[in-house]
Amino acid sequence: MIPFLDLKAINQQHRQALIDSATRVIDSGWYVLGQEVKAFEQEFASYCGAQHCVGMANGLDALVLTLRAWKELGKLKEGDEVIVPANTYIASVLAITENRLKPVLVEPDAQSYNLCPQKVRQAITPKTKAIVAVHLYGQLAPMKAIMELADEHALLVLEDSAQAHGATIDGKRAGNWGHASGFSFYPGKNLGALGDAGAMITNDPELAQTVRALGNYGSHKKYENLFQGLNSRLDEMQAALLRVKLQHLNAETLVRKQIAMAYAQGITNPLVSLPIGRNATLLDLENHVFHLFVVRVRQRAAFQAQLKAAGIDTLIHYPIPPHQQQAYNSYNQLSLPLTELIHQEVVSLPIGPAMSMKDVTAVIRSVNAFAA
């Protein structure tokens, strides 16, 4: 069986370094908000090109607490509108509604599945105060155009970089385009912990200080509470493990890109729509780190069944869009045809830094063998 993502094999490559890091934490006697968290925050901020990084429990909290911090700082208030792509994972929307802000769902670009600047412009109203720019599947949204719109209308921009660690446009990395960014280090991410973990980055020191306090019971100083906060702190153990894996992120991203190019060059089945062109080069792909390689197939169930029969695991990211979820039943009547079509047709093929080219070839062969 060719797994969708072999986490065991990925971590096996770094086994001894991970064990050494875990041992260092155990032997330190300090397990919460210690030197490992501080070191990782500095290293990850430097990697992204940002001035500040605040570690926290998970990627959703990174988004929630950043929006909450802007409310505490008087930059947002309840009821403000926040533009977000309609085809994102539900976490991007949950962060908005958790802060009693109003999500405005916009249709994506048909090719990249990311925000379409023209549709963002059309969605802006006097109540619009922020944009959540989701870098879906590992590809950066068109951040130059989005930031121009934001500057024109005095909007805050929060990047959802949960799937795009290290992606760049003109050398500027994901998370360092907007006013802040949330990252997830869930085990399956390109930079994955061995449990839940997340972080936000920003170049705004006041925002970083506020987010840090909010995630530590609202406290900026022990037993003194500025805000009604919560407990969302990056664990020392996960920080130590992430420090190991951060060292290998660029090399693992290169493997992902090479697999993506092999898929693009090798898959010729006209029933399968590819996310990139057949002649894509590494230079062309600087803005994509291929957290996922997502194709579209009209006969998706039959396609997945045939690949499964050939011993190939696939997944769907994501089967149900946020506006059709029971959790957002007040949005169920929205008509978002492109978003709905995407969710009906997308299939994610296996991709990961531990995948062999033999397995890549087997996937290509099976995809090309699919017939309606």
Side-chain angles (χ1 to χ4, degrees), residues 86-87 106-116 119 137 296 321 323-324 334-346:
N87 61 312
V106 299
E107 293 269 56
D109 173 78
Q111 179 61 36
S112 70
Y113 312 131
N114 277 328
L115 278 175
C116 171
K119 291 172 183 174
Y137 307 147
R296 284 172 62 185
H323 75 280
Q324 292 183 334
L334 280 181
S335 176
L336 296 163
L338 178 56
T339 291
E340 291 158 17
L341 181 64
I342 289 170
H343 284 260
Q344 291 165 11
E345 295 184 351
V346 290

Side-chain angles (χ1 to χ4, degrees), residues 50-320:
Q51 296 178 22
H52 306 280
C53 173
V54 181
M56 53 196 68
N58 55 70
L60 175 57
D61 284 357
L63 300 176
V64 170
L65 292 181
T66 301
L67 292 172
R68 168 77 183 281
W70 279 330
K71 288 178 67 180
E72 296 288 355
L73 294 170
K75 297 183 178 183
L76 292 174
K77 65 180 185 303
E78 289 187 16
D80 283 346
E81 293 179 355
V82 180
I83 292 172
V84 63
N87 61 312
T88 186
Y89 181 57
I90 198 169
S92 311
V93 184
L94 288 171
I96 298 169
T97 57
E98 177 67 18
N99 281 287
R100 297 185 181 180
L101 303 166
K102 182 180 178 181
V104 176
L105 305 174
V106 299
E107 293 269 56
D109 173 78
Q111 179 61 36
S112 70
Y113 312 131
N114 277 328
L115 278 175
C116 171
Q118 182 180 357
K119 291 172 183 174
V120 171
R121 181 182 289 279
Q122 293 169 353
I124 294 173
T125 75
K127 293 183 179 181
T128 306
K129 301 301 178 185
I131 301 170
V132 174
V134 182
H135 306 315
L136 198 64
Y137 307 147
Q139 183 173 15
L140 278 177
M143 292 308 299
K144 289 181 180 179
I146 289 171
M147 293 311 298
E148 287 174 4
L149 277 173
D151 291 343
E152 180 183 343
H153 295 275
L155 305 178
L156 296 165
V157 176
L158 173 58
E159 295 176 69
D160 183 343
S161 303
Q163 300 183 355
H165 314 73
T168 65
I169 297 175
D170 294 341
K172 191 184 227 183
R173 283 196 164 127
N176 204 31
W177 282 91
H179 301 102
S181 179
F183 285 85
S184 168
F185 306 122
Y186 182 78
K189 302 299 186 185
N190 289 26
L191 179 60
L194 273 70
D196 263 327
M200 70 82 70
I201 64 170
T202 184
N203 292 315
D204 181 345
E206 185 179 30
L207 177 63
Q209 183 180 34
T210 304
V211 169
R212 190 177 298 280
L214 285 168
N216 190 33
Y217 300 97
S219 174
H220 67 300
K221 185 178 179 181
K222 196 168 186 178
Y223 301 130
E224 295 183 19
N225 301 76
L226 290 171
F227 313 106
Q228 297 177 26
L230 48 82
N231 178 12
S232 181
R233 301 177 297 203
L234 177 60
D235 179 81
E236 274 287 284
M237 184 69 74
Q238 297 303 337
L241 301 174
L242 284 166
R243 292 182 68 196
V244 172
K245 300 191 74 177
L246 181 59
Q247 299 173 38
H248 303 279
L249 179 57
N250 285 345
E252 293 186 348
T253 297
L254 178 58
V255 175
R256 288 177 176 274
K257 291 186 177 185
Q258 290 169 336
I259 294 170
M261 288 194 300
Y263 280 156
Q265 293 164 7
I267 295 174
T268 58
N269 191 330
L271 300 175
V272 180
S273 298
L274 299 174
I276 57 174
R278 289 178 54 80
N279 298 318
T281 67
L282 287 176
L283 187 61
D284 298 329
L285 300 178
E286 69 158 347
N287 70 334
H288 205 323
V289 293
F290 292 97
H291 172 60
L292 301 169
F293 190 93
V294 179
V295 300
R296 284 172 62 185
V297 187
R298 288 184 180 178
Q299 301 87 3
R300 181 169 67 187
F303 178 76
Q304 284 192 287
Q306 181 167 315
L307 264 62
K308 184 177 181 181
I312 298 167
D313 193 19
T314 60
L315 291 178
I316 300 173
H317 297 88
Y318 301 96
I320 307 173

